[in-house]
Amino acid sequence: MAEAMIKGLLHQNAIAPNHIIVSEPRKDRATFLSNSYRVTIASDNHSAVNTADMVILAVKPQVVKEVLKEISSEVTVDQLIVSIAAGIPISFITYHIGDDKRIIRAMPNTPAQVGEGAIAVCCGGSATQQDLSDAEIFFNCIGATVVINEDHMDAVTGLSGSGPAYIFLIIEALTDGGVKMGLSRDIAQSLVIRTLIGSSRMVLESGLHPGQLKDMVTSPGGTTITGLHVLETGGIRAALIDAVEAATQRSRELSQVFKP
Ligand SMILES: NC(=O)c1ccc[n+]([C@@H]2O[C@H](COP(=O)([O-])OP(=O)(O)OC[C@H]3O[C@@H](n4cnc5c(N)ncnc54)[C@H](OP(=O)(O)O)[C@@H]3O)[C@@H](O)[C@H]2O)c1
């Protein structure tokens, strides 16, 4: 995820590569990042943090505590601390580095790797509205950003965090449908992907309700209503709603261990 952010920032010319300071414990990975993106490699987390305006915590959730303890003496109120660690509440971060620090919590998703992420951000500690705006601008380099209350972070995890996997499953299943009806897998998948991208853009650009757009392609007694009837009989709507609810609930359970 950190690499996706580096790529996005550089793609947008948002920052000079050497102004991105990376702390990466694996030497081969550090060399790869340095060679690929011309970023500056710090020898450790201390030196990565002490000259930074913005500190991005992009380690696995179970490593966050160790990293916070390591950098707590370096972090100042002049720096913006941005955590993308899933399930780690802002209170956990302020507990370790102080609630006078400016904290942004964000939840990106994997399409950030291709600049099409869905990102939710919220603020805590002593973060200001300006910090929130700066975080929005920062994350817009890897997708589209929304501002939320931290209470909604588990719902975001269950929806857009886990969402790419739901969509991959739908792509795979629709492709299988095309294959069953005699199309080659390549052609079927290509048609499915274009249908998903095109339909999403229609919702985005027309401003119309998806139900209205659905009605516009559903002629009386036609093929589409016949297909839709099968989807409704299979409970697709309830299954998708239940999936988001269950994933949100699971995110709540998993984040319990990170309550300070
Ligand atoms: N991937 C996603 O879809 C996604 C979505 C939303 C949020 N997130 C969050 O993003 C964070 C990173 O996820 P990821 O998938 O990018 O994980 P990842 O690929 O494992 O990246 C974590 C990086 O942190 C490095 N690291 C480990 N210990 C460190 C330490 N003590 N100091 C500095 N760096 C250290 C790792 O190095 P090594 O490889 O050498 O261990 C690795 O390069 C997680 O907290 C996750 O919850 C991820």
Side-chain angles (χ1 to χ4, degrees):
M1 194 50 78
E3 185 182 354
M5 288 191 276
I6 292 170
K7 252 194 230 176
L9 288 167
L10 297 180
H11 184 71
Q12 302 282 328
N13 289 321
I15 184 170
N18 61 326
H19 287 184
I20 300 176
I21 306 166
V22 174
S23 175
E24 161 59 59
R26 256 193 307 135
K27 289 280 163 284
D28 58 335
R29 180 86 183 130
T31 307
F32 166 80
L33 293 170
S34 163
N35 290 343
S36 308
Y37 304 105
R38 304 282 153 210
V39 293
T40 303
I41 303 296
S43 51
D44 53 34
N45 290 332
H46 279 275
S47 53
V49 165
N50 63 28
T51 57
D53 298 320
M54 197 188 258
V55 177
I56 317 289
L57 295 171
V59 293
K60 291 279 189 213
Q62 58 274 23
V63 183
V64 169
K65 185 176 175 180
E66 171 194 325
V67 171
L68 288 174
K69 281 184 168 172
E70 224 181 314
I71 64 171
S72 62
S73 59
E74 303 287 338
V75 176
T76 72
V77 291
D78 296 326
Q79 295 169 316
L80 184 60
I81 313 299
V82 179
S83 166
I84 63 161
I88 303 275
I90 290 172
S91 58
F92 183 89
I93 299 172
T94 55
Y95 179 81
H96 290 284
I97 61 171
D99 57 14
D100 57 331
K101 306 300 184 308
R102 295 150 52 203
I103 320 286
I104 296 287
R105 180 179 171 192
M107 173 53 63
N109 64 4
T110 49
Q113 290 169 22
V114 291
E116 293 289 350
I119 305 107
V121 293
C122 61
C123 70
S126 299
T128 61
Q129 281 306 309
Q130 185 59 50
D131 292 332
L132 206 49
S133 304
D134 290 346
E136 259 188 283
I137 294 167
F138 174 81
F139 281 107
N140 282 344
C141 291
I142 53 164
T145 310
V146 295
V147 175
I148 58 160
N149 287 324
E150 191 176 20
D151 302 353
H152 288 147
M153 214 31 120
D154 291 308
V156 167
T157 305
L159 178 61
S160 54
S162 303
Y166 311 155
I167 301 299
F168 296 143
L169 180 145
I170 289 169
I171 291 173
E172 190 187 12
L174 284 173
T175 302
D176 283 347
V179 171
K180 186 168 188 210
M181 291 300 107
L183 298 175
S184 75
R185 184 158 292 278
D186 283 357
I187 286 183
Q189 183 168 301
S190 164
L191 291 170
V192 170
I193 290 169
R194 289 311 314 172
T195 305
L196 263 149
I197 294 173
S199 308
S200 301
R201 283 191 61 183
M202 277 179 78
V203 177
L204 207 59
E205 289 174 21
S206 69
L208 294 174
H209 188 282
Q212 244 178 308
L213 290 166
K214 179 208 73 181
D215 288 353
M216 283 157 59
V217 291
T218 309
S219 54
T223 57
T224 308
I225 192 63
T226 308
L228 284 171
H229 183 205
V230 174
L231 289 175
E232 295 285 11
T233 306
I236 189 168
R237 234 176 246 269
L240 289 172
I241 295 168
D242 288 351
V244 175
E245 186 177 30
T248 303
Q249 193 46 41
R250 184 68 184 135
S251 173
R252 280 189 195 129
E253 286 165 18
L254 290 173
S255 53
Q256 283 309 309
V257 287
F258 296 112
K259 288 270 152 65

